Amino acid sequence: MDWGTDLWDQYDIIDKHTQSGLELVEKYVKFVKERTEIEQNYAKQLRNLTKKYNPKRGCKEEQECRFSNHQSFLDILNEMNDYAGQRELIAENMMMNICIEITKYLQELKMERKTHLSEAKKAQQSLESTYKQLDSSKKRFEREWREADKAAQYAEKTDQDINATKADVEKAKQQANMRTHIAEECKNDYAAQLQKYNKEQSQFYFSDMPLIFNKLQDMDERRVRKLAQGYVLFSDTERHVMPIIGKCLEGVTKAGTNVNERNDSIALIEQYKSGFERPGDLDFEDYSQGINRASSDSSLGTLGTPKGPLELLGKNRSKPFWLFSKKSKPTVTEDFGHLPPEQRRKRLQQKLDDIGKELQKEVDQSEALEKMKDVYEKNPQMGDPASLSPQINQTAQNMERLRGELNKYESWLTEAGRRGDSMLRRDTLPEDALSYRSHSNNNGSTHEPYSPDGTHSEEGTPDPSQAIYAEFDDDFEEEEELVAPIGQCTAMYNFPGASEGTITMQEGEVLSVVEEDKGDGWTRVRRANGNEGYIPTSYVSISLSK
């Protein structure tokens, strides 16, 4: 069954049907556009929501992240941020694969329909023109035949009239013969026009219009098929990202299961434990014996706890310590003396670790500068050794300053009650940072090393405020060591890595994790061949080393 055969006389119906089909395509495209706007607005609101509840750097909430319930909430915010990215991806794919693609195809269908309808109108106009010629020849034939009939009757009447002359009779007969001849010509012309019209009409109804209607049918069926594909894409676009969305939701669930109330309680204790002993009993002050009141104003002073809570808060030690009383904010001091003993030791130890790291960086830089200077001295064409002197002097001053701070904080830590291995922390403070002999760039003088306990060795007694140097290696390192991986990850999806700084990834590929996600949705990884780059965190399953 086809339109050209079964709907040969339903031109208006076909016209309206094809137009209605194109309008449906336009309506679907508009529907998908509005859906993409909803997805984009939803993703935007989710991103704004996660940004609103993410703690700012240095704020109190960021310090609370050491607790598992706070960290899990941050993990949920990160997962929701990734979830918002998937909603944006849905909107983008729908716009590209449905709206833009179908809109382009719709324009082609409109042009094709317009062409077919134009061909139908031309065929209709040609048939109507032939019919007009037929009708005109028919009317002429009718008119001329009547005139010929009248002329014949007049000639016969004249021939029978006894009063008519022979000339009148001959004239009448000639007129009748002429009219009859003209009528015969009109008859033949009418017959020819009729034959031509019948032929064109048959061509119109059995060939031209069925062909045009069948073309319109094929166009409409292709439109329906394309629209059906658009319907499927509407579902497939979202189904394609459902595994990643599922991973985001699994991440939210995992964040909930990672909460450990016991560890949070222990973390709170470690963070705020003061180290003070509980206040002792107050002494009885017997005023009846005339005892000087001032002599008993130290009832809490017998506890033997240096800088107890009353002293730190500026309280009168003769008064009891109230847990719920409003405490004034203590003045912050450089030696952290405003903190309780336990917290003070931790802060001093943390400060020592930080200074040790800074000192090691300065030592490494100094070594590099000395090596570079040695190369310049051996190969003057590569550079001027004197140009490095300002940097070398500045680095030496920085190391001297840092070692002075190191000694200062070590003495405070000793005062706080922790000395020895915890004072120097040689596991985090390299030996090169504690004992170093400098290649003097002036007179070749050297500074002898300190002993591990912070005192001078027997080989020399330099001023403690001066820098302590370690020996350089004589050779350059050929290349910088790569950062050690912190774990591995397995690709769950393909990633093209088209953007700058990213790396391609195939599903199932195992990569080394170099840097964790900082909250922006990207993780830095490395291949076995040493290539590094960033990949979407939600595209991989990560297993970090413990």
Side-chain angles (χ1 to χ4, degrees), residues 1 35 110 154 174 211 227 257 333 456 479 533:
M1 299 177 67
R35 164 70 190 277
K110 286 183 177 180
Y154 179 73
Q174 289 179 0
L211 180 61
L227 189 59
T257 56
T333 58
H456 297 297
E479 59 182 12

Side-chain angles (χ1 to χ4, degrees), residues 113-136:
R113 177 178 179 273
K114 184 178 180 180
T115 300
H116 295 329
L117 295 181
S118 177
E119 292 175 355
K121 288 182 180 180
K122 287 181 180 180
Q124 179 71 22
Q125 290 174 356
S126 177
L127 183 63
E128 289 177 354
S129 176
T130 303
Y131 179 78
K132 288 180 180 179
Q133 294 177 3
L134 172 64
D135 188 60
S136 176

Side-chain angles (χ1 to χ4, degrees), residues 115-390:
T115 300
H116 295 329
L117 295 181
S118 177
E119 292 175 355
K121 288 182 180 180
K122 287 181 180 180
Q124 179 71 22
Q125 290 174 356
S126 177
L127 183 63
E128 289 177 354
S129 176
T130 303
Y131 179 78
K132 288 180 180 179
Q133 294 177 3
L134 172 64
D135 188 60
S136 176
S137 64
K138 177 181 177 182
K139 289 179 179 180
R140 183 184 177 192
F141 167 62
E142 181 182 6
R143 183 175 63 253
E144 292 298 333
W145 186 257
R146 288 176 182 175
E147 292 293 332
D149 188 51
K150 288 180 181 180
Q153 291 178 3
Y154 179 73
E156 184 180 354
K157 184 178 179 181
T158 303
D159 185 44
Q160 294 176 359
D161 189 0
I162 58 175
N163 295 324
T165 62
K166 185 176 181 179
D168 291 338
V169 173
E170 288 295 330
K171 183 179 180 181
K173 287 183 178 180
Q174 289 179 0
Q175 185 69 21
N177 290 335
M178 184 185 68
R179 286 292 182 180
T180 300
H181 180 72
I182 293 174
E184 286 294 334
E185 288 181 352
C186 290
K187 180 180 179 180
N188 293 334
D189 182 64
Y190 169 61
Q193 289 294 333
L194 180 61
Q195 185 179 4
K196 178 182 178 182
Y197 173 76
N198 289 335
K199 182 179 179 180
E200 289 191 8
Q201 180 177 255
S202 177
Q203 177 76 15
F204 178 80
Y205 285 111
F206 289 93
S207 179
D208 294 345
M209 291 307 296
L211 180 61
I212 293 173
F213 284 172
N214 287 338
K215 288 181 179 179
L216 288 171
Q217 178 183 359
D218 178 68
M219 181 205 73
D220 190 68
E221 289 177 354
R222 283 187 282 111
R223 173 196 64 82
V224 173
R225 187 161 54 249
K226 189 69 173 180
L227 189 59
Q229 293 174 358
Y231 293 161
V232 174
L233 280 175
F234 187 80
S235 172
D236 288 347
T237 301
E238 187 162 355
R239 184 181 292 111
H240 179 70
V241 300
M242 286 304 294
I244 304 178
I245 291 178
K247 291 293 182 182
C248 295
L249 298 179
E250 289 177 6
V252 174
T253 302
K254 185 178 179 181
T257 56
N258 286 342
V259 176
N260 189 313
E261 62 278 7
R262 181 59 182 170
N263 289 346
D264 286 358
S265 297
I266 295 174
L268 183 67
I269 294 172
E270 291 293 329
Q271 182 176 356
Y272 294 106
K273 180 181 178 181
S274 66
F276 291 135
E277 296 182 9
R278 293 179 176 83
D281 296 338
L282 294 176
D283 294 336
F284 177 76
E285 301 179 14
D286 191 356
Y287 293 99
S288 62
Q289 300 298 326
I291 299 176
N292 188 355
R293 183 176 181 179
S295 63
S296 61
D297 277 348
S298 57
S299 57
L300 289 178
T302 60
L303 297 176
T305 57
K307 288 191 176 181
L310 302 182
E311 292 177 336
L312 288 173
L313 300 177
K315 298 289 183 179
N316 188 338
R317 297 178 62 184
S318 63
K319 296 181 179 179
F321 173 68
W322 304 113
L323 287 177
F324 304 106
S325 60
K326 186 175 182 181
K327 303 176 180 61
S328 60
K329 188 175 182 180
T331 303
V332 179
T333 58
E334 185 182 7
D335 63 350
F336 304 114
H338 63 287
L339 295 176
E342 188 73 20
Q343 300 303 319
R344 184 189 182 199
R345 285 193 293 270
K346 291 182 180 179
R347 291 296 295 274
L348 288 171
Q349 186 62 65
Q350 181 182 358
K351 190 68 176 179
L352 279 173
D353 294 342
D354 295 340
I355 294 175
K357 292 178 182 178
E358 293 182 21
L359 183 57
Q360 182 60 39
K361 291 180 180 179
E362 295 295 335
V363 169
D364 294 340
Q365 183 177 358
S366 178
E367 290 178 355
L369 290 172
E370 288 290 345
K371 291 177 181 179
M372 188 178 298
K373 179 181 178 182
D374 186 46
V375 171
Y376 286 175
E377 290 174 349
K378 295 178 181 178
N379 302 283
Q381 68 276 11
M382 297 184 64
D384 182 14
S387 64
L388 300 177
S389 296

Side-chain angles (χ1 to χ4, degrees), residues 448-468:
E448 298 301 326
Y450 282 95
S451 61
D453 62 352
T455 61
H456 297 297
S457 65
E458 296 180 3
E459 299 178 1
T461 57
D463 192 322
S465 63
Q466 295 180 352
I468 306 172

Side-chain angles (χ1 to χ4, degrees), residues 70-129:
H70 287 265
Q71 183 59 47
S72 293
F73 179 63
L74 291 184
D75 294 341
I76 291 175
L77 294 179
N78 292 334
E79 294 294 345
M80 293 309 298
N81 194 56
D82 293 341
Y83 178 82
Q86 298 307 312
R87 306 315 304 188
E88 291 174 340
L89 184 61
I90 290 175
E92 180 181 352
N93 290 341
M94 283 187 175
M95 181 61 70
M96 294 294 296
N97 300 333
I98 299 179
C99 295
I100 296 179
E101 187 69 23
I102 294 183
T103 300
K104 180 181 178 181
Y105 190 73
L106 177 62
Q107 297 302 321
E108 296 176 357
L109 292 179
K110 286 183 177 180
M111 293 299 298
E112 183 179 353
R113 177 178 179 273
K114 184 178 180 180
T115 300
H116 295 329
L117 295 181
S118 177
E119 292 175 355
K121 288 182 180 180
K122 287 181 180 180
Q124 179 71 22
Q125 290 174 356
S126 177
L127 183 63
E128 289 177 354
S129 176

